[in-house]
């Protein structure tokens, strides 16, 4: 009798992803490409859903969506893309007078299908979700405790309902108030930045009846850094997003969206031109989002090389570039590629996480330097005591200058390839600290 001896399959790497937003879903897509990984995604909400209004999909985000196979899940009916018929892509206007100060177009080498567009956040979420094996997603799972096992080689996750999972690698994609970040960096604290955003949607057909409101992505700038952003979305939706500096005191500050009094919202922007005042009077419901930030992390992985942070869990930027989801997708792509490299090269998985950190942490440091430049511009502006219209023009020229848009053309996949070339020639493990 012939006996067939089968070789047992090698044990797969167990990975848990915490968080079902764009960062978590993108990580799931990338890990699905790795046959040596057994992943699960845990989301604390009862369903995968997204809050908020619009999101800009820039060129860097389109590139990641295409690499992930999720771009095909977005049709032209799902977003608004400015065209050049009226000579604009994104406008910056003096919100007090309505006068155009700056027009910003995509870089000349940007393919048409990667031109920026504006879409409901839920559209991006659903595009990513459709590219994921949803049988591996577990909702209603709130992570409450993390501990190390086996001398730190494994992690035990305990959820609010009593469920327990032991994993090799943990990916924190759980947002600005990350439980995973609190485990890796227990001394990290968040605080209110002094800025607040308001977000709402009105009917496009009503907005277009207002003389002076245009079918374009437009920032209407006021004094003291306040602005109102208006843009069509898909269908009959017209987005209004606004930002203003708020006093440190007052109501309790919350990082998630909560209903705000409409009249207070309208009064906060009463210096802006009549078309904006008329537009704001269409608002019947508005959500308020307070911006929080914490100490800047020099690394997005733990010292054991078993935990990685992605998206707002790693470097919350308080919406500074309007591209947080794009940065999260870049994180996910680089993490998946770095793990593949470590596995294929026979290196410890911890080396893969450190390679991920070597690529991403310097990129975030560069983004922070841009924010530091914004802060410097505000500091230099204050003592000038310029008239209102000159103040607005100065701020648009210094803070909103297109030279600060380089991150929308960053290619995370090529940055990873360059990093692999650099480290593959080294036989030893990668240093935890990234090279800046």
């Amino acid at each position: 009798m012939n006996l067939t001896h089968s070789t047992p399959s090698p044990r797969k790497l167990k990975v848990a992803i915490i968080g079902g937003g764009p960062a978590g879903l993108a990580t799931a897509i990338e890990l699905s490409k790795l046959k040596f990984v057994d992943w699960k995604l845990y989301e604390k909400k009862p369903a995968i859903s997204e809050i908020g209004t619009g999101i800009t999909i820039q060129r860097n985000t389109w590139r990641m969506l295409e690499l992930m196979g999720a771009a095909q899940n977005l049709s032209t009916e799902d977003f608004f893309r400015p065209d050049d018929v009226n000579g604009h892509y994104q406008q910056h206007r003096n919100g007090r007078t309505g006068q155009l100060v700056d027009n910003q177009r995509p870089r000349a080498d940007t393919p048409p299908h990667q031109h920026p567009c504006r879409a409901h956040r839920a559209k991006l979420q659903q595009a990513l979700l459709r590219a994921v094996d949803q049988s591996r997603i577990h909702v209603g799972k709130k992570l409450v405790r993390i501990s190390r096992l086996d001398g730190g080689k494994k992690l035990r996750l305990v959820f609010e309902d009593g469920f327990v999972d032991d994993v090799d690698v943990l990916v924190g994609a759980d947002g600005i108030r990350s439980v995973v970040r609190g485990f890796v960096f227990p001394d990290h604290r968040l605080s209110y930045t002094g800025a607040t955003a308001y977000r709402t949607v009105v009917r496009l057909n009503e907005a277009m009846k207002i003389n002076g409101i245009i079918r374009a992505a437009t920032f209407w700038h006021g004094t003291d850094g306040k602005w109102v952003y208006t843009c069509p979305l898909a269908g009959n939706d017209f987005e209004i997003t606004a930002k203003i500096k708020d006093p440190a005191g007052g109501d309790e500050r919350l990082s998630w969206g909560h209903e705000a009094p409409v009249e207070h919202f309208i009064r906060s922007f009463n210096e802006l031109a009549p078309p904006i005042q008329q537009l704001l009077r269409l608002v019947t419901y508005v959500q308020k989002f307070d911006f929080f930030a914490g100490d800047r992390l020099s690394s997005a992985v733990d010292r054991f090389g078993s935990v990685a942070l992605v998206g707002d869990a790693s470097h919350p930027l308080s919406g500074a570039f309007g591209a947080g989801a794009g940065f999260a997708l870049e994180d996910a792509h680089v993490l998946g590629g770095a793990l593949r490299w470590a596995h294929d090269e026979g290196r410890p998985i911890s080396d893969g996480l450190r390679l991920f950190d070597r690529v991403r942490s310097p990129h975030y440091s560069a983004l922070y330097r841009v924010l530091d430049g914004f802060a410097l511009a505000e500091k230099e502006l204050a003592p000038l005591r310029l008239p209102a219209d000159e103040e607005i023009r100065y701020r648009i020229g210094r803070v909103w200058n297109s030279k600060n848009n380089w991150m929308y053309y960053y290619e995370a996949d090529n940055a990873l390839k360059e990093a692999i070339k650099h480290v593959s020639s080294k036989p030893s493990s990668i240093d935890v600290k990234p090279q800046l």
Side-chain angles (χ1 to χ4, degrees):
M1 181 169 58
N2 293 328
L3 297 177
T4 302
H5 297 279
S6 60
T7 303
S9 300
R11 177 183 166 280
K12 289 191 174 185
L13 184 76
K14 286 194 65 177
V15 180
I17 305 164
I18 306 300
L25 292 175
T27 301
I29 292 171
E30 291 297 321
L31 295 187
S32 297
K33 301 174 184 177
L34 309 179
K35 296 187 181 301
F36 61 91
V37 170
D38 176 18
W39 64 268
K40 291 184 176 66
L41 185 151
Y42 298 103
E43 165 58 45
K44 67 181 179 181
K45 292 187 292 186
I48 299 294
S49 61
E50 181 61 271
I51 60 172
T53 52
I55 187 170
T56 299
I57 304 178
Q58 298 279 3
R59 182 185 182 181
N60 63 319
T61 311
W62 277 118
R63 292 188 75 258
M64 293 297 103
L65 288 170
E66 289 166 10
L67 290 170
M68 293 176 183
Q72 63 188 5
N73 297 330
L74 286 168
S75 77
T76 55
E77 295 179 350
D78 292 328
F79 54 77
F80 167 76
R81 173 174 279 146
D83 57 42
D84 209 23
V85 173
N86 297 316
H88 63 253
Y89 276 97
Q90 180 168 282
Q91 298 188 358
H92 289 275
R93 292 181 174 269
N94 181 327
R96 293 161 49 88
T97 66
Q99 291 176 314
L100 181 67
V101 178
D102 190 22
N103 257 343
Q104 293 183 355
R105 295 177 173 82
R107 225 167 56 181
D109 62 350
T110 304
H113 66 283
Q114 292 177 350
H115 277 196
C117 68
R118 194 75 177 173
H120 277 286
R121 290 174 179 270
K123 294 290 187 181
L124 176 64
Q125 185 95 333
Q126 289 301 312
L128 293 166
L129 184 60
R130 287 198 290 272
V132 174
D133 178 359
Q134 296 182 37
S135 69
R136 293 175 174 268
I137 296 177
H138 304 272
V139 297
K141 295 291 185 185
K142 182 179 180 180
L143 180 64
V144 294
R145 190 165 67 253
I146 307 169
S147 57
R148 294 195 182 277
L149 305 173
D150 194 18
K153 294 179 181 179
K154 282 186 173 293
L155 296 155
R156 171 159 291 176
L157 313 181
V158 180
F159 295 84
E160 191 174 53
D161 61 1
F163 180 77
V164 177
D165 193 10
D166 294 343
V167 300
D168 302 302
V169 173
L170 174 62
V171 180
D174 47 342
I176 189 169
R177 296 192 177 275
S178 170
V179 174
V180 180
R181 183 180 61 230
F183 170 70
V184 179
F185 302 105
D187 296 330
H188 189 269
R189 296 290 181 271
L190 295 172
S191 60
Y192 175 58
T193 66
T196 291
Y198 294 89
R199 296 179 178 133
T200 188
V201 172
V202 298
R203 291 186 178 90
L204 174 65
N205 62 334
E206 294 297 323
M208 290 296 99
K209 293 177 184 177
I210 300 172
N211 180 31
I213 297 299
I214 52 181
R215 192 181 175 88
T218 307
F219 283 91
W220 307 83
H221 295 270
T223 57
D224 199 29
K226 72 170 70 70
W227 48 258
V228 171
Y229 173 85
T230 60
C231 187
L233 293 171
N236 194 35
D237 288 340
F238 188 83
E239 174 189 2
I240 303 172
T241 295
K243 185 178 179 182
I244 193 169
K245 294 176 183 176
D246 261 3
D251 298 336
E252 180 186 4
R253 299 297 178 182
L254 302 172
S255 58
W256 54 88
H258 51 289
E259 186 174 359
V262 172
E263 287 305 316
H264 173 75
F265 163 61
I266 294 174
R267 284 197 305 271
S268 298
F269 299 90
N270 59 11
E271 74 166 310
L272 301 187
I276 298 300
Q277 298 301 315
Q278 194 174 345
L279 177 69
L280 296 185
R281 286 196 290 272
L282 296 177
V283 174
T284 59
Y285 174 85
V286 65
Q287 282 197 315
K288 178 180 178 181
F289 296 78
D290 297 316
F291 289 145
F292 284 76
D295 295 335
R296 299 176 182 182
L297 300 177
S298 61
S299 175
V301 303
D302 70 327
R303 63 187 180 89
F304 293 91
S306 58
V307 182
L309 303 175
V310 297
D312 282 348
S314 67
H315 298 88
L317 295 167
S318 298
F321 303 103
F327 299 151
L329 267 59
E330 291 175 346
D331 289 343
H333 180 76
V334 172
L335 178 60
L339 291 176
R340 180 194 298 276
W341 166 81
H343 176 268
D344 292 351
E345 293 292 317
R347 297 213 187 196
I349 288 300
S350 58
D351 273 8
L353 268 67
R354 289 162 184 158
L355 175 62
F356 157 76
D357 198 45
R358 178 191 281 273
V359 175
R360 294 307 289 164
S361 283
H363 181 63
Y364 280 107
S365 293
L367 294 176
Y368 280 128
R369 287 194 290 274
V370 176
L371 295 184
D372 291 340
F374 293 168
L376 178 61
E378 291 292 339
K379 183 179 179 179
E380 293 175 347
L381 172 60
L384 298 179
R385 300 185 181 278
L386 297 174
D389 292 344
E390 291 183 30
E391 175 197 334
I392 290 169
R393 183 172 290 275
Y394 177 97
R395 185 175 284 107
I396 292 174
R398 285 289 302 275
V399 174
W400 298 89
N401 193 299
S402 58
K403 71 180 182 182
N404 295 323
N405 293 345
W406 57 264
M407 69 287 300
Y408 306 138
Y409 304 95
Y410 177 77
E411 298 182 350
D413 52 320
N414 288 325
L416 173 62
K417 291 174 185 175
E418 288 302 312
I420 288 174
K421 284 182 186 177
H422 179 74
V423 301
S424 291
S425 60
K426 297 185 176 182
S428 60
S429 294
I430 303 171
D431 292 337
V432 175
K433 186 177 180 181
Q435 293 183 346
L436 300 180

